[in-house]
Amino acid sequence: MHRRAEELGVRVARSCRPNTVGGAEFTGQVGYSVVVKPYAGWACGKA
């Protein structure tokens, strides 16, 4: 949904989907505060 909102011109917070611990470099780029959420949250259900 985040990507689609960007395509429609809606302003959204910067984000990344890290595959490794090295993905934490994103924090250094954007600063604090950072929200960390599971890749497959409750909304994914058993899809």
Side-chain angles (χ1 to χ4, degrees):
M1 184 178 296
H2 188 226
R3 187 177 303 137
R4 183 65 181 138
E6 285 182 310
E7 291 171 357
L8 294 172
V10 177
R11 291 183 57 176
V12 295
R14 291 176 58 189
S15 67
C16 76
R17 192 176 291 173
N19 297 332
T20 65
V21 175
E25 294 172 358
F26 178 75
T27 302
Q29 296 170 7
V30 298
Y32 288 97
S33 9
V34 175
V35 176
V36 179
K37 301 191 293 187
Y39 175 71
W42 70 271
C44 295
K46 295 182 180 181

